[in-house]
Amino acid sequence: MRQHLIQFEQALPPEKRRRTFETLSAWASRIQLDASLRSYLETRYDKVEITPQREEAFKQQLDAYLLRLEKEPPL
């Protein structure tokens, strides 16, 4: 899960990457990321094992955001 999020952030343009002072929630809100961060937070901080289906759904949400970003006209 963490690796998915790291790769996602690296694929973003610099202005959409997480700033050092931002919480995960604040960052997601700023870039209008509509992916559910619950699975990530549960595995990262609560050490909860999630199902492969939840992990795949999280990855797909991140990928969908990147696809939408590619289709946006440049500013």
Side-chain angles (χ1 to χ4, degrees):
M1 293 288 292
R2 187 164 189 229
Q3 194 60 36
H4 294 313
L5 196 61
I6 290 168
Q7 290 171 348
F8 167 76
E9 184 180 356
Q10 290 172 346
L12 292 172
E15 67 275 4
K16 291 206 181 262
R17 292 185 186 151
R18 189 172 170 190
R19 298 175 183 150
T20 56
F21 58 85
E22 281 182 307
T23 65
L24 189 62
S25 298
W27 172 55
S29 179
R30 178 174 60 83
I31 67 170
Q32 299 177 338
L33 175 63
D34 55 359
S36 172
L37 300 175
R38 184 175 179 192
S39 296
Y40 171 78
L41 293 171
E42 286 176 352
T43 59
R44 177 87 167 116
Y45 299 106
D46 297 335
K47 307 295 188 225
V48 172
E49 284 285 325
I50 63 163
T51 64
Q53 293 85 359
R54 281 183 70 190
E55 184 172 356
E56 183 59 28
F58 179 71
K59 186 177 182 310
Q60 287 177 356
Q61 290 173 330
L62 298 179
D63 290 345
Y65 180 90
L66 291 174
L67 283 174
R68 282 194 310 274
L69 201 60
E70 287 177 11
K71 293 178 183 178
E72 285 182 2
L75 297 176

